[in-house]
Amino acid sequence: MQIPSLGGFEELVLLTVAAQHNKAYGVSIKESLEKELNKTVSISAIHVALKRMNEKGFVQSRFGGITQDRGGRRKKFYVITSLGKAAIDRQFEIRTRIYRQIPKLSFI
Amino acid sequence: MPAQPPKKALQFLRWFCREDFLEEIEGDLIELFAIQFPEASRQASWTFFWWVLRYFRPEFIKSFQSGTLMNTALVKHNLLISYRGFTRNKTAFLINLIGLSTSLATAFFIVLWVQSEWKMDRFHEKDERLYQVMQNYQLPEDKIKVTSWTPGPLSQGLRDEFPELEYATSFKTGNFFDGILSASEQAFKATPVYADQDFLQVFSFPLITGDKSQVLTEPGSAVISQSLAKKLFGTAFKAVGQTVEWNKSEGASARYKGSFIISGVIEDISPHSSMQFDILLPYQFFMDHTWGVERWNNHPVSTAMILRQGVDLSLLDQKITQLVQAKDGAYNGVYFLKQFSSQYLYGTYENGVLVGGRIDYLWLFVCIACLILIIASINFMNLSTAKASIRLKEIGVKKTLGVSRGELIGQFITESLLLSFLALLVAFVLVAVLLQPFNAITGKQLSLNFSLIHVMLFTGITVLTGLLSSTYPAFYLSAFKPIQVLKGKIERSVGELWIRQGLVVFQFVISIFLIVAVLVISQQMSYIHNKNLGYDRHHILSLRTIGPLFEKMEPFFEEIRKLPEVQSIANSNTNLVACENFTWQPLPHAEGEHTEHILLNVFIVTPEFLQTYGIQIKEGRNFSKDFGTETSKVILNETAVKEMGLNNPIGSMITFWDVPVEVIGVVKDFRYHSMYKRVEPCIFRLFNEGDNFGRFIWIKLEAGQQVKEIDKIADVYQQFNPGLAMEYGFVDEEYQQLYESENRVAALSKYFAVIAILISCLGLFGLAAFTAEKRTKEIGIRKILGASEWRIVTLLSKDFTVMVLMAILIAMPLSFVIGHRWLESFADKIQLQSWVYVLAAAIALLIAWLTVGVQTFRAARANPVNSLRAE
């Protein structure tokens, strides 16, 4: 089966979604990414990435329950699908393979 | 409760964001806001806005296509249904079409007229910096008179002393300076402006040949208009360098005669200029030939200037006043600057305060245009809501099949827009056909040239009218509930009936108001035209002293006196109807600190003047040859006597023009100037020996057979002025011209009133037809049960009568108040009489009855069998 391509930022978001299994939503992804990357990430960029990956079938979403914070709005949680998992696996595989081809280099 | 994110931003988000993403995005944003707020509460709101804004991208924006107007199939369907509707209800269609097209045509005429008035004097290149010098004169009793007259040397003074201005020019206009321009054995009458060198720098009258900074600098040079150049020399270019003779030998103290070399040719003056002339002559020439122009205490000319950018106007006003006061110690007026182009529309002052001017008429007509459009729209609304029952099934079926309300509204709007655009076509035909008569009434040269502005304005008005007339029906009709409609049950609310009747009442309020307005205006006009002014203005022929005649006045008078039909002939320096000659006169007991002045209008006349005009002498006597030379004697009017404070005027000595003179008579006050003004003090004196004649000749004729008499006078005139056609006028006609704009408004308002009434009646006609049609069965049953035709007619007309009566009740106080206000602007006015209102009410009622009557009578006459057999 042809796996749709996965952009760089999308990959990061997808990894985070996978890492925060079943508890990933907009703000949590943003916070985690900011911590990992040590730079600000815009929330809209995350939403765009999530929408695209939803269309590609890499993630699924569900609404959480109503809470008092967030002005009564429900959270939308994302879970990685098997296709999504396949996509990051392939990505990881490709990268590792190519990485291994790097000759031993020493920078003095 | 944590801090709230800005509401506006959230609203914006909700407006554009896709619904399936909205909740998530909103929630995440609010959560982030709550996190950020404690850290940087000030910036948080702005950051929030920024966040929201970043969602404004294709992925998140919802689809705004509602499909109402985009769908071509639907548009086609709407057009088809509209077309069918039109063919089915031909009466309603025609009524709407006629009403809308007439009102649109009226509106277009008014747009053309307003636009043309608006453009007056605005074509000058530096319009926004082009200012005219005006002044407030102090009159007795704290009255202030505003004029645009300034001292002759003012522009030179301004140029020398004020760096704030780029150019300043003094000039003298007025068609009483009309003279004869001759060259190459041809002669034409021409209107001059005497202008100094910067005139063409200040006013942008485009030159065909010549340099605008040069053409008026030489003392012997003149600039003529293109058409005059063509008449005299063939082309504009041939004219330059040619010599022309200017002859304006009239008036006692000045003989404007000289030869000039043409230095430039200007394009013919645009009709959008309030200043109209054929030739520009050097200002110096005017100064040299007119007594007192160089004096600072004399105000004979106009002055205009181009200011530099960013000049403080009020400061400059003060400086000009100070400049004049420095030159003329007795001056007690105040100068101010006024944008030249605003004078045309805003030119009426009342006691020194700007109160309007032509702009009032502009607004008046814009209001009338709106009212007429509203009346026509009301017709459309009423007819379509009244006819709703016919369309109920259509609406019901459509709604059951899932047509949304929006789409139904779209359909009705399409229908009325279609009708409006049909009406637009008819309106264009109407405008094209009626443009000539309209120009004749308004005295304009309007034309239908399709500029972008016109197209946009006309389309805009049409669309607006279409929308206006369709909104109410569209929302009303589309709101029906399908089940009730299909079951045949509609609840017609009382409110709906109220609205329809209210609209009819409104139409008639406007119509009645316009009838009253027309009656009041025409009454006031005829009052003005027939009022006893204190002098007899009928059968007085007026001539201008022009050409060689001036040298031979005495023999000319003798010849004219010999004609049997001539009662008397007189000569004066100024026109009685519009006196243009006034002077400042120190009060007789002005000694020491008493330096009070009054404004005196000066009539320099021959002894027959009073007799020719039938001005009555109250005390004393007229000038007479029996007493020898009487150049040191004067006659005053009653107002002058009063304001000078003379107790025994006859025989008292006053100082006039620095010479002691004796008052020999007092005339009863008579009205010169227009009716807007009070009677001002005036003085009569004789021409000095030697320079004995002025530019106006008055000939009092016997009543009747005027054509013959004029021919005889013209024959005599020919002997003295060979080759020149006699130009003449009648004093009563000249008097009417004073009220030109009022006469035009009166004429126009008549037409508009008729149009408004006609359109209202069309609507009433349609409604009556519909009511009669709907009640056919009822009428049939009533007739079978023995009701008389008359009874049925009254039954059907009752509702309409009530509506018109209500309209009368509302319109009366309204028209009283507004009529009263209009009349207040006249010094002499009619009383508002009650019969005017009775007449207006009667006319409205009668017209309404006639309109409704035709329909109801037909319904009442119908054979009941026909209406009842149908089922």
Side-chain angles (χ1 to χ4, degrees):
Chain A
M1 188 188 159
Q2 185 70 39
I3 302 172
S5 67
L6 188 64
F9 187 71
E10 281 175 8
E11 190 185 347
L12 286 174
V13 175
L14 189 55
L15 284 169
T16 319
V17 169
Q20 302 182 346
H21 184 69
N22 222 357
K23 285 192 175 108
Y25 70 102
V27 178
S28 73
I29 298 171
K30 177 175 147 75
E31 282 174 344
S32 145
L33 273 179
E34 278 176 351
K35 210 167 77 189
E36 297 290 339
L37 301 176
N38 202 16
K39 67 171 190 183
T40 7
V41 180
S42 104
I43 182 80
S44 57
I46 292 170
H47 279 140
V48 171
L50 286 171
K51 294 311 146 220
R52 291 216 182 116
M53 290 195 295
N54 201 4
E55 277 162 28
K56 291 174 188 167
F58 291 157
V59 291
Q60 273 180 343
S61 61
R62 64 173 175 85
F63 275 116
I66 297 175
T67 50
Q68 274 301 315
D69 21 319
R70 297 170 56 95
R73 273 77 167 179
R74 292 173 296 176
K75 284 176 185 168
K76 202 177 207 180
F77 291 113
Y78 289 86
V79 211
I80 189 163
T81 59
S82 58
L83 189 66
K85 184 71 176 40
I88 40 172
D89 283 351
R90 194 188 61 170
Q91 207 86 343
F92 181 73
E93 191 188 313
I94 293 170
R95 289 195 178 165
T96 336
R97 203 168 54 225
I98 299 172
Y99 186 82
R100 285 201 183 120
Q101 292 170 16
I102 303 171
K104 292 249 189 284
L105 294 173
S106 58
F107 296 93
I108 305 161
Chain B
M1 195 77 183
Q4 293 294 310
K7 272 205 179 124
K8 282 267 155 33
L10 277 180
Q11 271 172 9
F12 179 60
L13 181 73
R14 269 175 222 153
W15 174 68
F16 75 78
C17 188
R18 277 174 67 164
E19 259 145 41
D20 44 348
F21 297 157
L22 182 63
E23 185 168 1
E24 177 195 8
I25 294 172
E26 244 185 299
D28 284 358
L29 286 182
I30 293 171
E31 190 176 336
L32 281 175
F33 181 79
I35 297 169
Q36 193 166 39
F37 189 75
E39 295 169 18
S41 54
R42 256 197 212 165
Q43 284 162 20
S45 299
W46 290 112
T47 327
F48 192 82
F49 263 108
W50 176 233
W51 287 340
V52 166
L53 215 59
R54 292 182 67 164
Y55 283 93
F56 196 71
R57 50 203 283 177
E59 290 97 327
F60 298 110
I61 292 176
K62 65 180 164 198
S63 155
F64 281 100
Q65 257 194 349
S66 61
T68 341
L69 290 166
M70 301 294 172
N71 192 331
T72 46
L74 199 62
V75 171
K76 256 189 198 167
H77 170 81
N78 286 348
L79 288 177
L80 182 69
I81 295 281
S82 310
Y83 170 71
R84 282 184 192 154
F86 292 161
T87 47
R88 200 184 308 137
N89 300 313
K90 289 202 185 67
T91 343
F93 171 66
L94 276 179
I95 287 176
N96 282 328
L97 187 67
I98 295 172
L100 280 178
S101 52
T102 328
S103 58
L104 282 177
T106 315
F108 295 165
F109 272 128
I110 290 174
V111 165
L112 287 175
W113 180 75
V114 166
Q115 202 194 14
S116 144
E117 289 282 280
W118 189 255
K119 270 159 101 178
M120 284 304 272
D121 285 340
R122 278 173 211 260
F123 61 93
H124 297 292
E125 274 161 31
K126 292 165 184 164
D127 174 43
E128 76 286 357
R129 287 186 287 137
L130 171 51
Y131 282 81
Q132 186 171 14
V133 181
M134 310 278 291
Q135 62 170 319
N136 288 328
Y137 274 132
Q138 209 65 49
L139 296 184
E141 297 161 24
D142 283 332
K143 292 258 163 58
I144 296 169
K145 176 177 172 141
V146 177
T147 78
S148 59
W149 299 125
T150 60
L154 182 63
S155 71
Q156 195 54 50
L158 292 173
R159 271 194 291 263
D160 294 346
E161 313 233 351
F162 298 122
E164 290 97 325
L165 33 105
E166 267 176 42
Y167 298 105
T169 181
S170 282
F171 55 98
K172 180 71 181 172
T173 60
N175 55 7
F176 50 87
F177 283 106
D178 285 4
I180 306 290
L181 189 70
S182 53
S184 46
E185 291 172 0
Q186 283 175 297
F188 295 98
K189 194 175 162 230
T191 306
V193 165
Y194 295 98
D196 65 7
Q197 69 268 28
D198 283 340
F199 183 78
L200 288 174
Q201 302 274 18
V202 173
F203 297 103
S204 319
F205 295 110
L207 277 160
I208 294 172
T209 64
D211 177 0
K212 64 179 174 182
S213 61
Q214 299 293 324
V215 287
L216 288 166
T217 45
E218 292 298 315
S221 56
V223 175
I224 61 174
S225 74
Q226 191 181 10
S227 58
L228 201 56
K230 274 189 182 157
K231 280 195 272 183
L232 285 169
F233 305 108
T235 68
F237 295 94
K238 277 189 202 161
V240 178
Q242 301 273 7
T243 308
V244 288
E245 295 293 327
W246 174 254
N247 189 352
K248 159 72 185 162
S249 300
E250 62 169 54
S253 49
R255 295 174 190 194
Y256 305 95
K257 197 172 172 182
S259 56
F260 298 94
I261 294 170
I262 293 175
S263 56
V265 177
I266 47 168
E267 282 177 20
D268 284 348
I269 308 304
S270 134
H272 287 129
S273 169
S274 60
M275 212 191 311
Q276 294 286 334
F277 55 91
D278 311 300
I279 178 164
L280 288 174
L281 292 170
Y283 186 66
Q284 192 55 46
F285 176 76
F286 175 72
M287 284 248 228
D288 293 344
H289 290 75
T290 315
W291 178 86
V293 179
E294 72 289 347
R295 291 170 65 145
W296 279 90
N297 60 356
N298 197 3
H299 301 114
V301 301
S302 311
T303 302
M305 61 182 84
I306 302 280
L307 299 181
R308 290 199 191 279
Q309 225 95 38
V311 168
D312 183 353
L313 270 182
S314 56
L315 199 67
L316 194 56
D317 289 350
Q318 283 176 21
K319 282 162 96 176
I320 294 176
T321 311
Q322 283 162 7
L323 172 75
V324 177
Q325 274 168 351
K327 307 273 184 184
D328 168 20
Y331 180 72
N332 69 346
V334 175
Y335 279 92
F336 64 98
L337 292 176
K338 178 174 187 183
Q339 197 175 6
F340 180 74
S341 55
S342 71
Q343 175 70 9
Y344 183 79
L345 286 179
Y346 303 87
T348 310
Y349 288 86
E350 217 167 72
N351 212 5
V353 182
L354 183 68
V355 290
R358 289 188 179 83
I359 191 77
D360 298 338
Y361 291 125
L362 251 61
W363 280 119
L364 178 74
F365 283 122
V366 168
C367 287
I368 289 183
C370 292
L371 288 178
I372 288 180
L373 281 176
I374 291 173
I375 291 182
S377 304
I378 288 178
N379 278 353
F380 185 91
M381 288 185 214
N382 272 347
L383 287 178
S384 40
T385 48
K387 297 231 168 195
S389 53
I390 298 169
R391 307 192 70 164
L392 284 180
K393 291 243 160 63
E394 179 198 329
I395 295 162
V397 169
K398 275 191 172 165
K399 277 203 159 178
T400 335
L401 292 177
V403 174
S404 75
R405 195 172 168 195
E407 281 160 339
L408 273 176
I409 290 174
Q411 183 195 328
F412 293 117
I413 291 178
T414 319
E415 192 176 314
S416 95
L417 282 182
L418 182 69
L419 189 70
S420 307
F421 276 95
L422 283 177
L424 175 72
L425 293 181
V426 182
F428 270 134
V429 177
L430 282 176
V431 171
V433 171
L434 295 175
L435 198 62
Q436 268 338 92
F438 184 76
N439 278 342
I441 298 171
T442 52
K444 292 244 164 211
Q445 293 144 32
L446 303 176
S447 58
L448 261 188
N449 45 356
F450 283 94
S451 59
L452 189 65
I453 293 181
H454 281 152
V455 172
M456 272 164 56
L457 263 175
F458 292 167
T459 327
I461 293 174
T462 312
V463 170
L464 218 65
T465 317
L467 290 180
L468 177 71
S469 47
S470 64
T471 39
Y472 172 61
F475 283 94
Y476 167 74
L477 289 174
S478 60
F480 285 131
K481 298 220 165 50
I483 293 182
Q484 288 178 344
V485 167
L486 290 177
K487 273 184 182 164
K489 271 194 271 176
I490 16 160
E491 284 168 35
R492 294 231 151 170
S493 66
V494 188
E496 174 214 330
L497 200 68
W498 267 99
I499 289 178
R500 204 180 306 147
Q501 292 187 342
L503 289 175
V504 173
V505 169
F506 180 71
Q507 281 184 318
F508 269 82
V509 168
I510 297 172
S511 302
I512 294 166
F513 172 70
L514 287 175
I515 298 175
V516 175
V518 167
L519 287 175
V520 171
I521 292 177
S522 54
Q523 253 190 311
Q524 172 71 15
M525 283 298 111
S526 74
Y527 171 77
I528 286 175
H529 291 156
N530 301 321
K531 179 176 164 65
N532 181 7
L533 300 165
Y535 65 87
D536 184 8
R537 62 178 181 278
H538 300 289
H539 313 298
I540 299 178
L541 194 68
S542 83
L543 301 180
R544 301 286 186 275
T545 335
I546 205 164
L549 172 66
F550 184 74
E551 312 291 338
K552 296 172 266 183
M553 287 289 265
E554 203 61 63
F556 176 69
F557 275 34
E558 284 309 316
E559 285 298 316
I560 296 288
R561 283 200 191 98
K562 282 182 195 159
L563 296 173
E565 298 87 351
V566 171
Q567 288 187 347
S568 64
I569 178 165
N571 184 228
S572 71
N573 68 324
T574 185
N575 196 338
L576 190 73
V577 171
C579 174
E580 292 145 339
N581 193 16
F582 54 86
T583 188
W584 286 93
Q585 168 73 15
L587 286 175
H589 309 296
E591 282 158 25
E593 65 252 46
H594 275 285
T595 45
E596 265 188 272
H597 288 62
I598 66 166
L599 190 84
L600 267 186
N601 289 280
V602 186
F603 294 97
I604 305 176
V605 297
T606 53
E608 300 91 345
F609 185 82
L610 294 182
Q611 178 198 346
T612 306
Y613 265 104
I615 296 170
Q616 286 171 17
I617 294 174
K618 192 182 156 204
E619 281 177 77
R621 61 175 178 85
N622 191 0
F623 301 111
S624 165
K625 290 217 168 86
D626 306 340
F627 295 85
T629 23
E630 294 208 296
T631 44
S632 62
K633 313 274 167 71
V634 295
I635 296 175
L636 301 173
N637 73 349
E638 287 174 299
T639 311
V641 170
K642 204 172 80 196
E643 292 196 359
M644 286 182 176
L646 298 174
N647 292 330
N648 293 309
I650 305 299
S652 59
M653 300 296 287
I654 59 172
T655 313
F656 180 66
W657 285 350
D658 307 330
V659 179
V661 291
E662 186 192 347
V663 179
I664 56 165
V666 176
V667 294
K668 280 195 179 159
D669 273 348
F670 59 95
R671 275 209 171 268
Y672 50 108
H673 294 308
S674 81
M675 286 275 180
Y676 290 109
K677 289 188 184 168
R678 65 188 192 108
V679 177
E680 285 172 354
C682 73
I683 188 166
F684 293 90
R685 58 159 288 174
L686 293 179
F687 289 104
N688 285 327
E689 294 285 323
D691 61 5
N692 31 7
F693 292 103
R695 59 174 174 267
F696 293 92
I697 300 172
W698 313 104
I699 303 173
K700 174 80 178 174
L701 303 169
E702 302 270 1
Q705 292 192 327
Q706 289 190 350
V707 184
K708 262 191 193 166
E709 294 155 21
I710 292 167
D711 282 348
K712 284 181 189 164
I713 293 168
D715 285 343
V716 179
Y717 185 86
Q718 281 297 323
Q719 292 166 21
F720 287 87
N721 258 356
L724 272 179
M726 181 173 83
E727 288 190 29
Y728 64 91
F730 283 98
V731 172
D732 43 1
E733 282 166 11
E734 283 170 13
Y735 176 70
Q736 290 215 359
Q737 277 166 13
L738 280 184
Y739 300 96
E740 213 182 353
S741 61
E742 282 79 9
N743 286 333
R744 279 182 183 150
V745 170
L748 277 181
S749 60
K750 259 179 223 168
Y751 290 106
F752 290 145
V754 168
I755 288 172
I757 294 161
L758 276 183
I759 299 176
S760 310
C761 285
L762 273 176
L764 204 59
F765 182 83
L767 272 187
F770 174 72
T771 324
E773 189 187 308
K774 224 174 62 178
R775 293 171 82 171
T776 1
K777 289 225 170 67
E778 183 197 330
I779 294 166
I781 293 169
R782 278 177 191 272
K783 278 190 86 170
I784 285 173
L785 294 178
S788 70
E789 280 171 14
W790 182 244
R791 175 95 192 86
I792 286 165
V793 171
T794 41
L795 175 84
L796 287 177
S797 347
K798 203 180 75 191
D799 288 351
F800 295 107
T801 315
V802 171
M803 282 187 251
V804 177
L805 285 177
M806 272 183 65
I808 292 172
L809 272 183
I810 298 171
M812 287 302 140
L814 190 75
S815 41
F816 179 80
V817 172
I818 295 180
H820 203 73
R821 272 194 55 191
W822 183 73
L823 284 174
E824 282 202 332
S825 64
F826 289 90
D828 256 323
K829 56 189 172 241
I830 52 162
Q831 288 296 309
L832 282 174
Q833 284 153 329
S834 51
W835 67 261
V836 171
Y837 297 98
V838 177
L839 184 65
I843 292 175
L845 208 55
L846 201 70
I847 293 178
W849 272 335
L850 278 178
T851 323
V852 177
V854 177
Q855 288 295 331
T856 50
F857 205 66
R858 203 167 63 191
R861 288 285 297 276
N863 187 347
V865 176
N866 291 336
S867 57
L868 293 178
R869 201 169 46 183
E871 261 161 58

